[in-house]
Amino acid sequence: RAPAIMTPAATPAPAPVLLARLQAAAAALDADAAIHAEIVDHPFFGRLPLLDFIRFQTLHTRHHLTQLAPARD
């Protein structure tokens, strides 16, 4: 089960807000990777090798895509 801070709201935010959040997260990752070419600071897992972080994010994103597919139907 996800920590309380990660529990989604009862209703989704508007698409422009979600897109802005995604863009901000992508920019933060780019900035973090540029500063720490080999280590990324994750808010829950701490310092991770960049390659491990990218692998984790890929799996995590795939997980959420499976959740979004039913919402589109």
Side-chain angles (χ1 to χ4, degrees), residues 17-33 40 53 57 61:
V17 172
L18 297 174
L19 181 58
R21 288 180 190 167
L22 182 60
Q23 290 170 332
L29 175 58
D30 286 346
D32 207 20
V40 174
F53 179 80
Q57 287 303 114
T61 300

Side-chain angles (χ1 to χ4, degrees), residues 13-72:
V17 172
L18 297 174
L19 181 58
R21 288 180 190 167
L22 182 60
Q23 290 170 332
L29 175 58
D30 286 346
D32 207 20
I35 294 169
H36 310 285
E38 297 188 21
I39 299 293
V40 174
D41 290 319
H42 188 278
F44 293 105
F45 301 122
R47 295 171 58 79
L48 296 171
L50 180 60
L51 187 55
D52 289 348
F53 179 80
I54 292 170
R55 288 177 179 146
F56 168 76
Q57 287 303 114
T58 300
L59 292 172
H60 187 77
T61 300
R62 285 182 187 156
H63 164 72
H64 282 287
L65 286 174
T66 63
Q67 294 174 329
L68 293 174
R72 289 189 304 238

